[in-house]
Structures are given as structure tokens and as C-alpha cells.
Amino acid sequence: MANILVVDDELGIRDLLSEILNDEGHQVELAENAAQARAARARARPDLVLLDIWMPDTDGVTLLKEWSSSGLLTMPVIMMSGHATIDTAVEATKIGAMAFLEKPITLQKLLKAVEQGLTKSAGRKPVGPNAAAHPVDLTVEAAMTGGALPIAVDMGPQPTQSFMLEKPLRDARDEFEKAYFEFHLAKEGGSMTRVAEKTGLERTHLYRKLKQLGVDLTRGKRG
């Protein structure tokens, strides 16, 4: 179990990430702005930080730079944004961010990035502004990760499947629902937001449903 700090000014994103990370066994601290993030960093000493770039008071890159210059960047930081440019991503990498997640954040990429960040957390030294940047690719995420989050592609669940009907109703229903959600997760590239819209479920309820059905949420992006 790790202590993870989630910094985002959007309540829905904080709640969703907290729900997912708590279910994975982690302890989660929440902050909606840079002031709260500073206090949580001093109080909880997180093992990893998920940091939004665009916030109303102090943006995430500025906060990252502040931590780096003061020697407080002793934990892996994963940046998050739906509107970042490659220049912003490269700047954050030079300061010391280890990865970047584009919103809407897919479940597979979130869990993979957190797993890799926590692996690097042990024995991590403070990162200064002269840290080497990852090579820049065509996307913001690639610019930040330098290929750190490889995606395995397979055929994934197929739209037409057969089910054994000589089962109790509950078992047959669960089997169908699992196949249904696996198909839509594969079709939408693991995006919880798009699957929630497609299926008409609220994201937190959708996540709980997937866990209940035993859907493999850590599997790589499917074709």
C-alpha cells in the first residue's frame, strides 16, 4: 500500500481517482489547489503525486518547479491535463515529472503509470531543473513518457459471443454483463468516461460494477 496525493481542481476527477486507487489498496490524500497540495506534501510525505497542470491559483508546472528548486521533489510526479501542449510536457519533464496522462484518463494507463511510479519511488533522489528530458514524439503523452508506458494490442473481446443458457439466471446475467463491459472497454480504448457515456452509467458506479464482475482493469489497451 502506498500513500498517493491527487491534486486536481475538478471534484469529479478527484473522487474517481480516489475511488480507483483506494480499491487498489492505496491510501489517498486529496488536494484541490496548490496551497492544499503544499500542506499535504509536508504532512503526508506521499510516495507518488498525480498533479493536474491547469489549476486556478498556481498551475501544476509552477508547483512542480517550486518543489524541484526547494529540494522537495523526492517522489515521482505524474502530470495530468486535457489541454497541455508538447512544450508544456517537455518543460515538466525537464523539471522532473516522470510521466504524463492525457484526460480523459484511461484506467489501464492510470494503473500502469502508478505501478511504474511506485516502482521508481524506492530510493528516489531529489530531481533538479537540469534533469535530462525524454525524447519528444508526436504526442504530448509520448513527449512526457518517452515510451515509458508501452501498450500491448490484442484482438480483444468480439462483438458476437455465445453464452451457456443452462445456468442460474444470476450467473448467466453476470457472464453476459462481463462480456458486454469488456467489449465496450476494448472498443473505447479503456476510457472510463466514454464507456460510462455509452452504457449510461455514472463513472464511479461503472468502476464498482467492473470490479464486482471481475473485469481485468489492468490489462493493456485492446484492439
Side-chain angles (χ1 to χ4, degrees):
M1 183 179 71
N3 184 21
I4 299 177
L5 172 60
V6 176
V7 187
D8 198 298
D9 61 317
E10 295 184 53
L11 176 61
I13 292 179
R14 292 199 307 273
D15 286 347
L16 180 63
L17 294 181
S18 177
E19 179 85 18
I20 293 172
L21 295 171
N22 275 322
D23 277 357
E24 292 298 313
H26 302 300
Q27 181 177 336
V28 182
E29 290 272 341
L30 299 176
E32 62 181 81
N33 52 46
Q36 292 184 9
R38 293 185 190 101
R41 164 67 183 79
R43 179 180 66 253
R45 296 191 176 269
D47 299 304
L48 181 137
V49 177
L50 292 165
L51 178 59
D52 187 32
I53 289 182
W54 301 112
M55 296 187 293
D57 55 348
T58 301
D59 66 83
V61 174
T62 300
L63 180 59
L64 183 72
K65 189 180 299 183
E66 176 187 312
W67 281 341
S68 177
S69 62
S70 59
L72 295 176
L73 197 55
T74 56
M75 64 290 177
V77 174
I78 299 172
M79 308 301 290
M80 306 181 294
S81 179
H83 309 285
T85 64
I86 289 180
D87 288 342
T88 304
V90 172
E91 179 186 3
T93 306
K94 288 180 178 179
I95 296 169
M98 66 152 286
F100 176 87
L101 293 174
E102 291 185 274
K103 296 179 181 177
I105 300 171
T106 67
L107 199 61
Q108 288 92 342
K109 287 183 179 179
L110 170 65
L111 296 179
K112 186 67 174 179
V114 168
E115 177 187 354
Q116 292 182 338
L118 293 175
T119 299
K120 292 181 179 180
S121 181
R124 180 180 171 91
K125 297 179 180 179
V127 178
N130 295 323
H134 294 295
V136 179
D137 205 335
L138 296 178
T139 66
V140 175
E141 186 169 345
M144 283 294 292
T145 63
L149 302 178
I151 298 172
V153 178
D154 60 32
M155 292 301 292
Q158 301 302 302
T160 302
Q161 300 186 37
S162 59
F163 299 94
M164 294 295 294
L165 300 182
E166 293 183 359
K167 291 183 176 182
L169 176 59
R170 176 178 295 180
D171 293 343
R173 182 183 61 201
D174 288 348
E175 185 177 291
F176 167 77
E177 288 186 344
K178 182 178 180 181
Y180 173 81
F181 286 117
E182 284 179 339
F183 170 74
H184 283 287
L185 276 170
K187 186 177 180 181
E188 300 301 333
S191 171
M192 291 285 282
T193 299
R194 291 197 291 269
V195 173
E197 291 173 353
K198 273 281 185 72
T199 60
L201 296 175
E202 192 270 330
R203 286 186 302 176
T204 300
H205 176 66
L206 172 61
Y207 177 73
R208 288 173 178 166
K209 186 70 173 176
L210 297 178
K211 294 286 284 187
Q212 174 191 338
L213 293 170
V215 175
D216 183 6
L217 301 179
T218 62
R219 190 176 180 182
K221 183 178 179 182
R222 302 178 173 95

